[in-house]
Amino acid sequence: MSADLFVVKANDQTLSIVIWSIFAGIVIGILLSVYHKYVLGSFVRRLLDSGASSEWTAVTMDEAGLGKSRILRLLTRRAILGSGSYAKIVRSPELPYPAPPPKKGQKTPPRKIDSSTRFYIPDDMQNRAIMTYTGGARTIIWALVSIAVLLGIALLSFYIVPALSEMFANIFR
């Protein structure tokens, strides 16, 4: 078996595909994290600030300050009606959680959010909401720094990986 099978060339297309795919995947993850903190987190922060911690203190989206932003309202509604962690944290007295399973032979009952639907964050979820959806400018700063460092590592790996594979191949010669 030839040791040259283990050698990766610096201009190898496979190496390029692997490095840029890993870089793109991590960057997408970082951007999704920023999306959750800032876009979805804005409603959570407003609920926390308004003291909506029970069914009796629940507020509507308009009362929480989302009246003007249609896109933010749409994204928030989708997240609340979903089955992810956002739906576990942000609750509504009008929407049962978890969603009731459909009866045999029926479709899933529709769950709708209108302008009168009230929302709150239960007391037992307050700490989780704070940890997950609050942050500051440091989140964006860390995201930008992380992307810059990852870009540096990606570019540097075009020199390191071929050198390491050459050393690995020399061991078997």
Side-chain angles (χ1 to χ4, degrees), residues 95-171:
L95 299 172
Y97 179 81
K103 294 180 181 176
K104 192 171 188 174
Q106 291 182 341
K107 293 182 180 179
T108 305
R111 298 174 55 189
K112 294 185 181 182
I113 295 175
D114 58 17
S115 60
S116 65
T117 307
R118 297 169 310 150
F119 301 96
Y120 68 98
I121 299 174
D123 286 328
D124 60 331
M125 290 292 189
Q126 298 258 335
N127 287 335
R128 183 173 176 186
I130 291 168
M131 295 297 291
T132 306
Y133 294 104
T134 61
R138 64 182 170 190
T139 304
I140 290 180
I141 292 169
W142 277 111
L144 293 174
V145 168
S146 298
I147 291 171
V149 168
L150 286 169
L151 180 61
I153 291 171
L155 294 173
L156 191 61
S157 64
F158 283 108
Y159 299 104
I160 293 173
V161 172
L164 288 175
S165 69
E166 184 70 34
M167 287 190 318
F168 183 70
N170 287 338
I171 291 173

